[in-house]
Amino acid sequence: MKLRLRKKQKQDRPSRNQLMPPEGVPLTMQIAGVGVRLGAQITDIVITTIALVAIMILLSALNITGPQTIVAIGALLFFLIRVPYYILAELIWNGQTLGKRILKIKVVSHDGGPLTTHALVLRNMMKEAEVFLPGTLVLMLDASSPFASLAAFAWILVCLLVPIFDRYRRRLGDMMAGTHVIHMPVPVLLKDLASEPRTMSQDKKEFVFLSHQLDHYGAFELQTLEGLLRAQSTRPTGGDTERNKTIEAIVEKIRKKIGYANPVPPADRLRFLQAFYKAQREHLEQRQLFGDRRANKHYANNEEDA
């Protein structure tokens, strides 16, 4: 009985790839695995190490450091380089460092909202406590203090095992900051959906969207809507209460978000989404022609759009 109940609870849990934004419509995003996160981390360590080596070579050439203090100065410089690097890179690039950009992953908020400075500082300072500072202790402590070295090494192992056993692949810093690391959505905007022959009758009222209404969403939301419309086109027609509720919820969220005053009749909801998709796509493509690319609905929170 307990086994059956546990199995049912497991089935009822939302997918780990679903995040719930403030609008209440779940967004499906692929959670980044441990391997790709480790690859991005190694890339960032290589980048910061190159910067450290360059500074150390400069200090040695200027004869500022001696052989007795070079290790301590190197450890201190590495700390002073990597902490601002991780925090500033994720603040400037909206949740990405150079390593994450290369491997196409990024940090997002658990509730789908914009990333806050507090969250990014917290998750990166926790990274120091999880790995870097204990790792420095392991490298710097000598054989006379084996207990401290073993304790630091055990702490690193525990921290590295946390993402493996967490269903969202989060480390301790992500849990405390309320963040996830996901694969970057690929905004593949296929031509065939926008250029498909129109099946609606021409005598029906057209949906018209103004420019400021289309400014609310970006390429990411457009891709999500495209996926929804494609899924609807492949599903069999007929009464489907859950599907109709989902369509209604999405239409109402979009309508309220963009300030579309007229209510959409139930029979026209799918046609409303198709018209919005087409208008949104044309709007984004026009903006991109002038070098103004809107990534997602949180783009306005970035400084570059301010």
Side-chain angles (χ1 to χ4, degrees):
M1 183 69 182
K2 287 184 178 179
L3 184 61
R4 189 180 302 172
L5 181 61
R6 189 175 301 173
K7 185 177 181 181
K8 187 176 184 306
Q9 289 175 343
K10 189 175 181 180
Q11 290 175 344
D12 292 341
R13 284 194 302 182
S15 168
R16 72 179 184 185
N17 291 327
Q18 279 192 346
L19 300 182
M20 187 63 70
E23 287 84 354
V25 179
L27 294 176
T28 300
M29 296 185 237
Q30 187 180 1
I31 298 292
V34 176
V36 69
R37 294 186 64 171
L38 182 62
Q41 189 61 250
I42 292 174
T43 304
D44 289 327
I45 290 175
V46 170
I47 292 170
T48 50
T49 302
I50 291 173
L52 172 66
V53 170
I55 295 175
M56 293 300 294
I57 292 175
L58 178 62
L59 293 178
S60 299
L62 296 176
N63 201 22
I64 295 177
T65 63
Q68 300 82 6
T69 60
I70 191 167
V71 175
I73 291 177
L76 179 61
L77 280 177
F78 195 31
F79 174 80
L80 295 177
I81 290 172
R82 68 173 180 261
V83 172
Y85 165 77
Y86 284 106
I87 295 175
L88 293 178
E90 291 187 351
L91 281 172
I92 293 171
W93 288 320
N94 196 21
Q96 287 185 296
T97 60
L98 279 173
K100 290 186 176 71
R101 290 173 72 88
I102 292 172
L103 293 177
K104 300 188 183 306
I105 59 177
K106 69 173 296 182
V107 182
V108 297
S109 176
H110 176 73
D111 61 1
L115 286 169
T116 64
T117 303
H118 174 266
L120 292 180
V121 171
L122 177 59
R123 72 182 302 276
N124 283 298
M125 291 308 294
M126 275 302 297
K127 187 184 297 179
E128 295 294 318
E130 290 173 57
V131 178
F132 286 121
L133 292 181
T136 304
L137 283 177
V138 171
L139 294 176
M140 295 188 67
L141 292 177
D142 52 29
S144 61
S145 55
F147 178 77
S149 299
L150 288 174
F153 186 68
W155 170 252
I156 294 173
L157 280 182
V158 171
C159 292
L160 292 178
L161 288 174
V162 169
I164 296 176
F165 292 101
D166 181 71
R167 69 188 301 259
Y168 294 108
R169 299 294 181 260
R170 294 173 300 177
R171 57 179 179 81
L172 292 177
D174 288 316
M175 295 177 184
M176 296 180 66
T179 55
H180 294 274
V181 180
I182 64 167
H183 286 279
M184 283 288 294
V186 181
V188 180
L189 301 180
L190 303 179
K191 292 182 179 179
D192 54 348
L193 186 60
S195 58
E196 281 180 354
R198 296 171 60 187
T199 56
M200 67 192 76
S201 60
Q202 295 296 327
D203 57 347
K204 287 188 176 180
K205 181 182 177 183
E206 293 289 346
F207 294 103
V208 178
F209 303 98
L210 302 179
S211 178
H212 73 274
Q213 294 175 318
L214 299 173
D215 280 337
H216 287 277
Y217 290 104
F220 175 72
E221 288 76 21
L222 182 62
Q223 185 193 15
T224 304
L225 180 58
E226 180 179 302
L228 172 75
L229 293 175
R230 288 185 182 281
Q232 295 302 316
S233 65
T234 58
R235 295 184 64 169
T237 58
D240 189 333
T241 305
E242 290 301 321
R243 182 178 67 173
N244 292 337
K245 286 182 179 178
T246 301
I247 295 294
E248 179 184 3
I250 295 173
V251 169
E252 289 305 307
K253 294 296 180 185
I254 292 177
R255 199 170 66 81
K256 291 179 181 177
K257 179 83 174 180
I258 67 176
Y260 192 89
N262 297 329
V264 181
D268 292 338
R269 283 170 185 156
L270 195 57
R271 196 163 66 85
F272 173 87
L273 292 180
Q274 292 170 338
F276 182 73
Y277 168 83
K278 183 179 179 182
Q280 183 75 56
R281 180 190 175 100
E282 291 174 351
H283 180 69
L284 292 180
E285 289 179 345
Q286 186 179 28
R287 292 186 63 171
Q288 195 165 358
L289 285 177
F290 294 96
D292 185 9
R293 181 175 181 178
R294 188 184 182 90
N296 52 50
K297 64 185 178 183
H298 305 302
Y299 184 80
N301 296 312
N302 296 342
E303 292 182 0
E304 60 192 76
D305 196 42

